[in-house]
Amino acid sequence: MRHLLLIFGALFLLSSCETEIEDFQTQNLSSAIVVYGEISNVDGPYNVRLNYVSAYSPYDATQFTGQPITDANVRIVDGNGKETAYYEKSKGYYLSPAGFKGEVGQKYKLRIKLLDGKTIESAFQTITASPTLAEFTYSFKDAAKVEDMRFPLTASIKDPKATEDYYFVKRQDFRQFLLTCPPPPAPPAPVPPCNCVCWQAPQNTQPYLLDDFLLSGKNLSLDLGQLPYEDFTDWVVQLDVYSISKEAHTYWKRLEDQRKLSGGIFDKVPAQIRGNLTCSTDPSQEVLGFFMVGGLTQKRLQVDRFNGIPTEAYQKLLFYVDFNNIRYKDIPLWNCKDAAFIKYNLGYSLPPL
């Protein structure tokens, strides 16, 4: 009987502690402004993107997309007080004028005035000397199967001595592709030109971040991985190597660390990471993003996947290309620019460097 009374008492206590929440609501009404722009010593134009962070709504899919900020007065101010106005090319997307170029040793900041009177500014940052690539090469690694054949890439940055240096590296690949040309029309109809060689530029949004801690004056290696040998068309790898400030490096490092969270209970709690922009007229206005200033070196490496390949490996590739329909032989086209099924299709040529 005593045990029964204890059980009933415990059940009563548990039930009495239960509270039904009827007014639970979740919403995200963030009015934060997101800004991103950059300037370097390489010819422009440079761009600045502006948008609001929209409120989250499960009933409106457009709320996931930031609302562009239009009709803003966007200017670059240098250390001498000279201002350069940007123009709005499309909604929320602003470009510097033709001929404007950053100078090594000069400092710059971004100033934005919105229609509601708010002013957003970054801190001054100086364009440092452009970094030097010590090496940027490739080799061929043979294998029994085409799927395992690779082109290892090798690259490193030549780091100067006796200085504290930080680097931000963007990578963009340009991959050539071929299409099958249709059968020619019967004579006397003229045969149209078959422009079957085009380029595509797959997206790559993750930067490489390096610093010379304990390695000052040595070559800093970039882990670029390997390219597959699944076709004999050209493949171009472009590196944009920036020499940036410690502040900029810390900002991108925090973003990268947050992206890599595994979801474990001991991971850092995700949070908004603030950059180097503030609203000077309204301190309560939240501003996210970054205005990056740095010396820039751009270089392209063309990987020739045709010449210098062992004959046996090339013969395996010919069979592989035909068997896997790499040429899209079931949907021939006269013009590869019309191949909408090819993602990130650039057309016949690469953008200028």
Side-chain angles (χ1 to χ4, degrees):
M1 184 66 180
R2 182 181 178 184
H3 294 297
L4 289 175
L5 288 174
L6 289 173
I7 293 173
F8 285 133
L11 290 174
F12 174 77
L13 288 173
L14 289 173
S15 62
S16 64
C17 291
E18 182 179 333
T19 303
E20 185 175 356
I21 301 175
E22 297 179 348
D23 60 348
F24 179 74
Q25 296 180 357
T26 60
Q27 58 181 176
N28 176 9
L29 300 179
S30 173
S31 61
I33 296 172
V34 182
V35 183
Y36 181 75
E38 60 182 56
I39 183 174
S40 69
N41 57 302
V42 172
D43 291 335
Y46 313 113
N47 68 77
V48 170
R49 294 180 181 270
L50 301 177
N51 65 272
Y52 290 107
V53 175
S54 299
Y56 165 71
S57 170
Y59 308 106
D60 185 358
T62 63
Q63 292 293 312
F64 288 104
T65 305
Q67 177 186 355
I69 299 177
T70 60
D71 302 317
N73 186 315
V74 178
R75 293 174 180 267
I76 295 292
V77 184
D78 67 19
N80 300 322
K82 181 181 178 181
E83 299 186 6
T84 301
Y86 281 38
Y87 67 96
E88 188 170 9
K89 183 178 181 181
S90 58
K91 289 185 177 181
Y93 184 70
Y94 301 81
L95 286 181
S96 62
F100 175 63
K101 181 180 178 180
E103 299 177 10
V104 172
Q106 180 62 274
K107 60 182 180 180
Y108 298 89
K109 72 175 181 179
L110 177 65
R111 177 182 294 155
I112 302 168
K113 293 185 178 180
L114 307 182
L115 287 178
D116 60 5
K118 293 180 179 178
T119 298
I120 297 171
E121 288 188 326
S122 71
F124 271 115
Q125 299 172 84
T126 302
I127 295 182
T128 54
S130 302
T132 301
L133 278 171
E135 56 182 342
F136 191 17
T137 60
Y138 72 94
S139 57
F140 176 68
K141 182 179 179 182
D142 205 349
K145 296 181 179 180
V146 172
E147 295 91 330
D148 298 326
M149 296 177 186
R150 292 290 185 267
F151 290 89
L153 302 175
T154 303
S156 62
I157 299 172
K158 185 177 181 181
D159 184 69
K161 295 181 180 180
T163 55
E164 188 177 347
D165 300 293
Y166 300 88
Y167 303 98
F168 174 95
V169 183
K170 295 179 185 178
R171 171 178 172 173
Q172 178 60 62
D173 287 31
F174 300 100
R175 181 176 179 179
Q176 198 178 55
F177 67 90
L178 301 177
L179 295 180
T180 300
C181 296
V191 178
C194 185
N195 300 310
C196 65
V197 181
C198 274
W199 293 89
Q200 62 180 150
Q203 286 187 332
N204 181 22
T205 59
Q206 302 306 325
Y208 301 89
L209 298 170
L210 296 92
D211 64 78
D212 62 354
F213 179 66
L214 299 179
L215 294 171
S216 181
K218 298 182 179 180
N219 291 347
L220 307 179
S221 298
L222 283 166
D223 183 11
L224 301 181
Q226 306 176 83
L227 302 183
Y229 182 49
E230 58 191 23
D231 204 347
F232 47 77
T233 50
D234 289 338
W235 192 312
V236 172
V237 180
Q238 176 177 319
L239 295 181
D240 293 359
V241 185
Y242 294 79
S243 177
I244 59 175
S245 65
K246 182 178 181 179
E247 179 187 17
H249 184 272
T250 301
Y251 171 80
W252 291 109
K253 185 68 168 60
R254 288 174 177 171
L255 285 180
E256 185 68 3
D257 289 344
Q258 186 160 292
R259 183 186 69 85
K260 292 179 178 178
L261 292 178
S262 62
I265 61 173
F266 297 108
D267 281 344
K268 298 176 184 177
V269 178
Q272 294 285 17
I273 299 173
R274 298 184 182 276
N276 62 345
L277 297 130
T278 58
C279 183
S280 58
T281 55
D282 181 6
S284 65
Q285 172 64 61
E286 187 177 20
V287 183
L288 306 175
F290 205 86
F291 177 61
M292 192 165 72
V293 176
L296 172 61
T297 294
Q298 294 179 301
K299 193 169 183 180
R300 285 177 177 173
L301 172 68
Q302 180 171 323
V303 179
D304 187 337
R305 299 192 292 168
F306 179 77
N307 292 306
I309 306 301
T311 302
E312 184 179 358
Y314 178 70
Q315 292 300 324
K316 291 178 181 178
L317 176 67
L318 291 179
F319 175 80
Y320 178 89
V321 168
D322 182 68
F323 182 80
N324 292 280
N325 192 18
I326 302 297
R327 294 286 174 271
Y328 303 98
K329 58 187 177 184
D330 298 330
I331 39 177
L333 286 175
W334 289 111
N335 189 338
C336 61
K337 290 180 67 176
D338 298 330
F341 52 88
I342 301 293
K343 292 183 178 180
Y344 315 113
N345 190 343
L346 293 180
Y348 302 133
S349 59
L350 301 182
L353 186 61

